Each structure stands twice: as C-alpha cells, then as structure tokens.
Amino acid sequence: MYDFAYTKPASLADAVHALGGADAKALAGGQTLIPVLKLRLNRPAIVVDLAGLGLSGIKVTGGTVTIGATTTHATVAASLDVQRAFPALACLAAGIGDIQVRNRGTLGGSLANNDPAADYPAVALASDATIRTNKRAIAAGDFFQGLFTTALEPDEIITEVAFQAPQRAAYTKFRNPASRYAMVGVFVAKGGQGVRVAVTGAGQNGVFRHTAFEQALERAWAPESLDGISTPADDLNSDIHGSAEYRGHLIGVIAKRAVAAS
Amino acid sequence: MPQVSLTVNGKRETVEVEGRTLLVELLREKLGLTGTHVGCDTSQCGACVVLVDGQSAKSCTMLALQADGASITTVEGLAAADGTLHPMQAMFREHHALQCGFCTPGMVMSAIDLVQSHPEGLTEAQIRHGLEGNLCRCTGYHNIVKAIAAAQKLMHHQQQAQAAE
C-alpha cells in the first residue's frame, strides 16, 4: 500500500471540505477500500474517515426504514425494528460477507462503491430507496450508473438511505462457492409502487431492474409467472465462473426462488 | 508522523504510525504481539481476527488510525494474569481443536465474539456458519466446532455466576 495522509473530521462540513482536495478518498468501513489500496488500484493523497460524523442509526416511521450511512451491516441485520418493518432487508444484511466484514462494513460504503456483485444495490433499487447526501436526495433508479459508478460527486457524502418497506419481498443469491460473492442475486418486492425485481452480480453495468419479470409478477405474484421468460445474455457478465448465458438462466431460477421465499 | 492512542489488552498505548499502517502491523510490529497472525492479507482467512470494542474484526483490513480510542483484545489478552486460560482457550486445548495452530488465534477470537453475541446459545449449524470468516487449512473444523460448543456452556455459566455475585 502506498502511504497517504489520514484525517477523521468531526463534522459533515469538514469532511466535505477535505474530500474537495486533490486525490481524496472517503473511508467508511474500509472493507473494500483497504483491499483496493493494498492492491494499489487506487492511490489517494488523503483518506477521509467518515466514522466521526455520527451518521449511524436506524429509524422506522410508517413504511419507511431510514438507515444512517455509516450503520454497519451487523447493526442492520440485528435490528429488531428492521426485522419487523422490512425483514428481507435485515436478511440481506445478515448475508453480506462474513461476521467480521459485517461488523465493519457500512450501508453507505457499499452503495457508494457500487460493486457489481454487492447486495445492497439490489434492495435499494427494488424498494425505491432514496439516497440522501449532504447536497440532495437521489432516487435509487438515478443513483446507480454502471460498474463502480454512481451519481455521487467527488465531494458528496451519503448521509442516510430511506427504504420503502414493501408488502412482500425477499432476496436470494447464488454465491460463488469460493469468494461467496453473488454470482446472481435477485431482490423481488411488491409494494405501493408496484412490483420491482432488481438483479445484482450478473449485469455488465452492475445492478439492473428486470422489467419483463416485473410485468409478469404484476399479473400474478407466483414463481410460475416467470416460466418461459428468458433473460437475454447481451448485457450479462461472462467470466471464468460462468458464461453470460449461464447467468441469464440462473437469474430466472433465483428470481423464482426469491418469489417463493417472499 | 500521526499518532494513535488505544487500549490493547487493558494497557494504554500511544504509537506513531503511518496513514497506511494496518492494525495488525501495529499489533505485531510496533507492540510485539505476534499472536495475531497474517494469513491471506486479503480479508478472507481470519487468522488476524481481534476484538475491537468487543466485536470481532479482521485487523488486516483496518487501518491502525481507525482504532484510535478503541479497546483491542488480542489472543495474548485472554488468559488471566496467573496463566489460567480463557474458557475458549481451555476448550480448544481440551478438544484438540488445532493441528498446525496457524488459524487458532483468529478462530479463538471469532469464537468468543460469536458466543458473546448469542447469549441464547448456539446450535452446531450456527457455530459452523459463524466461522464463515475463518479458514483452517488443516481442515480441522470438527474439533473447533466441538470446542466452541463446550466453551459456550462454560462462558455462559461464568457470566451467570458473575451476574449473581
């Protein structure tokens, strides 16, 4: 790892100011950033630790679950409020990485990184989440913009995320047997906005909504509704773990399992 | 050089580090606590697990500076001053839960967090699932699981006895 300066601001304004400098990088739980720095894939001049900003916490109001950006996966998974209001969200958080990763990794860090195999982008997209920053509120549909790319500006910090708890929902993933990352993860949700199906792990451009599945599930919320609907392989990942066609097939299988589990 | 102040195994320490110094480097190289191991250095194997404010964390995936103000427990901090082993260490010995021993410190620290965060008790399946972040290359998992199952009884008993006092 190359060396860098480190700062841990105590206020959002100071953090935004620090991130405005040249080659600054925000650090939340560090479960992705630190491995990336070890591989020298990134060389920041300064790392801005967001842990001192008090952005951690969970609020449930009506059907909205609002979670602070630096809330850890372990905290979300263990929260009785989240388990009651939006069980599929608690379940998704409980399945990220391993216990040690969940103890350090954060919601905001996962969304800002937008890893194509990350779990949180799927629930954000499928539950019409609003991502609030120091500048604005961004709808999840506008937030994810491709591999490791989001609508965030360099000096923009996620402060909290508001999820709309659906009436029915579930997240199912097919893990790579070695890395345990999702080769395909599907979040299905049926809520006030209608049906949402978000797919992670498979898309060349990261998380995406499966509109053909959504239309079929609007007609009838049952696994059989997805029979005969194929997923074109054109925009899917192909790598040593599986071809695009394989992933396309897997999306249908996993989506059915998710609907059955909801 | 930046300084980090933290408590390690009950002792206050203030150490000069670089921005890039990892917590595990601070523990091993600056404080000489080589019980915490570096296996994969890629957050997968769990040989470097320590407790940070009571929660298990991979110390190879944490900057030393992130631990400023925190209380760290390493495997060296578990036994009593007179050498009496922590129940988890005692049960690892009792059930021969190690072969080469490389993964043992991380296994022990993860297991302690696992037991402490489940006061209601753990099933064998939960113990196995809870060790997802720790790899044993000797594949000695069976006795590790047995040791944790035995230790959880001792730890919960000890906790109840302490609460009664």
Side-chain angles (χ1 to χ4, degrees):
Chain A
M1 203 181 331
Y2 295 111
D3 199 20
F4 46 78
Y6 168 95
T7 181
K8 188 177 171 183
S11 78
L12 195 55
D14 288 346
V16 168
H17 181 75
L19 281 174
D23 298 323
K25 199 83 192 154
L27 170 70
Q31 300 306 286
T32 299
L33 181 63
I34 293 171
V36 161
L37 296 179
K38 284 184 184 181
L39 292 169
R40 298 186 172 178
L41 295 174
N42 203 305
R43 190 178 186 173
I46 182 166
V47 166
V48 182
D49 189 345
L50 308 180
L53 305 181
L55 295 177
S56 194
I58 295 170
K59 273 193 312 265
V60 178
T61 337
T64 306
V65 178
T66 307
I67 302 179
T70 56
T71 310
T72 64
H73 311 324
T75 303
V76 174
S79 161
L80 293 177
D81 287 337
V82 178
Q83 286 172 15
R84 263 191 296 267
F86 194 170
L89 172 59
C91 187
L92 175 142
I96 299 172
D98 52 46
I99 291 178
Q100 290 73 36
V101 167
R102 292 195 289 276
N103 280 342
R104 302 286 311 163
T106 70
L107 167 63
S110 172
L111 294 179
N113 187 48
N114 193 19
D115 186 299
D119 300 301
Y120 266 129
V123 63
L125 196 56
S127 68
D128 290 312
T130 303
I131 292 125
R132 298 203 184 97
T133 74
N134 55 311
K135 297 185 176 180
R136 57 192 165 142
I138 310 169
D142 301 323
F143 182 81
F144 303 107
Q145 299 189 343
L147 287 194
F148 300 104
T149 309
T150 69
L152 290 175
E153 290 164 19
D155 62 344
E156 192 167 14
I157 297 170
I158 301 176
T159 54
E160 62 180 20
V161 181
F163 298 90
Q164 302 309 318
Q167 283 120 34
R168 297 183 74 165
Y171 178 64
T172 303
K173 65 175 159 178
F174 187 88
R175 293 167 182 264
N176 177 304
S179 76
R180 313 298 286 159
Y181 267 100
M183 281 180 67
V184 167
V186 182
F187 199 102
V188 296
K190 186 182 180 185
Q193 314 291 315
V195 170
R196 297 279 186 274
V197 178
V199 180
T200 189
Q204 274 181 13
N205 299 307
V207 69
F208 65 91
R209 277 177 58 184
H210 201 308
T211 46
F213 282 8
E214 290 179 359
Q215 284 158 13
L217 290 169
E218 283 285 4
R219 288 193 288 275
W221 183 264
E224 304 79 63
S225 301
L226 303 180
D227 282 343
I229 307 172
S230 60
T231 305
D234 309 349
D235 294 325
L236 301 181
N237 271 335
S238 214
D239 57 26
I240 56 164
H241 307 297
S243 65
E245 289 74 19
Y246 175 75
R247 280 190 168 83
H249 174 73
L250 208 48
I251 289 171
V253 174
I254 296 300
K256 281 186 190 180
R257 286 186 194 169
V259 175
S262 70
Chain B
M1 244 202 234
Q3 278 193 338
V4 55
S5 292
L6 71 179
T7 305
V8 180
N9 299 332
K11 194 169 157 217
R12 293 280 297 165
E13 305 275 4
T14 298
V15 187
E16 281 197 346
V17 293
E18 290 183 299
R20 63 178 166 181
T21 305
L22 299 168
L23 177 59
V24 70
E25 293 170 340
L26 165 75
L27 294 171
R28 288 178 58 87
E29 291 163 27
K30 305 265 182 183
L31 301 178
L33 295 170
T34 53
T36 303
H37 292 169
V38 179
C40 67
D41 200 23
T42 55
S43 341
Q44 298 179 63
C45 78
C48 67
V49 170
V50 299
L51 302 184
V52 179
D53 293 327
Q55 287 196 319
S56 59
K58 291 182 172 171
S59 62
C60 82
T61 310
M62 196 172 158
L63 301 176
L65 286 162
Q66 286 179 284
D68 192 53
S71 176
I72 311 293
T73 308
T74 70
V75 72
E76 290 94 338
L78 294 178
D82 67 358
T84 306
L85 294 180
H86 183 282
M88 190 62 75
Q89 292 172 303
M91 289 303 102
F92 265 62
R93 188 170 69 176
E94 174 84 16
H95 291 273
H96 193 62
L98 61 148
Q99 290 180 47
C100 85
F102 191 88
C103 72
T104 310
M107 285 284 181
V108 167
M109 301 316 289
S110 289
I112 289 172
D113 182 22
L114 190 62
V115 169
Q116 281 173 349
S117 52
H118 289 84
E120 75 286 2
L122 291 149
T123 62
E124 186 193 321
Q126 283 175 307
I127 293 172
R128 288 185 184 274
H129 187 70
L131 293 178
E132 196 175 14
N134 292 79
L135 302 180
C136 168
R137 261 196 66 182
C138 312
T139 70
Y141 296 102
H142 194 63
N143 284 353
I144 292 171
V145 173
K146 277 205 275 191
I148 296 170
Q152 70 169 340
K153 291 191 192 119
L154 293 179
M155 284 171 68
H156 290 153
H157 187 72
Q158 211 172 55
Q159 227 161 23
Q160 280 159 1
Q162 274 166 3
E165 270 168 28

